[in-house]
Amino acid sequence: MNKDVLLEHIQQQLELTLDIATEAAMRAYNTATDDENVAENKYDTFALEASYLAHGQAQRVVECKADISAYQQLLAKMPTQQHSVVVGHLVSLEDHQGAPKLVFLGPAAGGLKFIIDGEEVITVTPSSPFGEALLGREVDEEVDIHISNNVIWFDVISIK
């Protein structure tokens, strides 16, 4: 898999998410500030609730911008060493049944999934259990991921 293509897909998804969050924040702001939504009595809380929603949507926009910024910084300083997993690496794993798994260790936006050239790749962050387990691992090392009461084992096949 071409990591540049993956990074392009991630950037496009982050930009789309930002556009959607910005639109939602504007709708919530317009609802909260609309003259028709002024409270008519002490029990009329629609405008107050709308302002809470507008604040939350504005926070989401800030988070989306931070995710985009984190990836821009990563693109400026992509890791060149490939002996141990760090943020910015595409890691090929294999479970004990031989099933492959591609994981990109990104600085933000964990959980994004893409299918590129027929291969599924998932983005994880260092703050997730999966990302934390991958950090510092080398080829041919075993990775154990603890989720709830389960432990999942993978072998590191390659690091790009």
Side-chain angles (χ1 to χ4, degrees):
M1 169 174 296
N2 185 333
K3 189 163 64 169
D4 293 332
V5 171
L6 171 63
L7 289 167
E8 186 177 310
H9 277 74
I10 291 172
Q11 287 286 73
Q12 289 172 354
Q13 183 62 47
L14 293 176
E15 292 289 341
L16 177 63
T17 302
L18 174 61
D19 291 345
I20 292 168
T22 302
E23 185 179 316
M26 286 305 300
R27 276 196 315 268
Y29 172 78
N30 290 336
T31 300
T33 58
D34 192 318
D35 289 341
E36 290 184 17
N37 295 328
V38 173
E40 295 177 7
N41 59 52
K42 66 180 181 178
Y43 302 108
D44 188 358
T45 61
F46 184 77
L48 179 62
E49 292 168 6
S51 71
Y52 289 148
L53 179 60
H55 176 73
Q57 294 292 356
Q59 287 297 110
R60 180 70 181 126
V61 169
V62 169
E63 291 169 1
C64 290
K65 288 180 179 179
D67 289 351
I68 290 170
S69 177
Y71 272 93
Q72 288 171 342
Q73 291 173 13
L74 175 66
L75 289 171
K77 299 181 208 170
M78 284 300 287
T80 54
Q81 64 84 12
Q82 295 181 351
H83 64 276
S84 64
V85 177
V86 296
V87 173
H89 277 154
L90 179 62
V91 184
S92 178
L93 303 167
E94 192 174 89
D95 68 14
H96 286 277
Q97 286 77 37
K101 185 167 196 77
L102 277 174
V103 177
F104 180 74
L105 187 59
L112 294 177
K113 290 182 183 180
F114 301 97
I115 296 180
I116 301 171
D117 299 330
E119 294 181 289
E120 182 183 76
V121 61
I122 186 168
T123 304
V124 298
T125 63
S127 61
S128 71
F130 204 158
E132 185 179 1
L134 284 174
L135 276 175
R137 297 293 184 198
E138 298 178 2
V139 173
D140 295 330
E141 274 194 284
E142 199 168 72
V143 178
D144 58 322
I145 294 105
H146 299 265
I147 301 174
S148 296
N149 294 329
N150 299 324
V151 179
I152 304 168
W153 300 89
F154 292 98
D155 292 319
V156 178
I157 304 303
S158 69
I159 301 169
K160 298 178 189 174

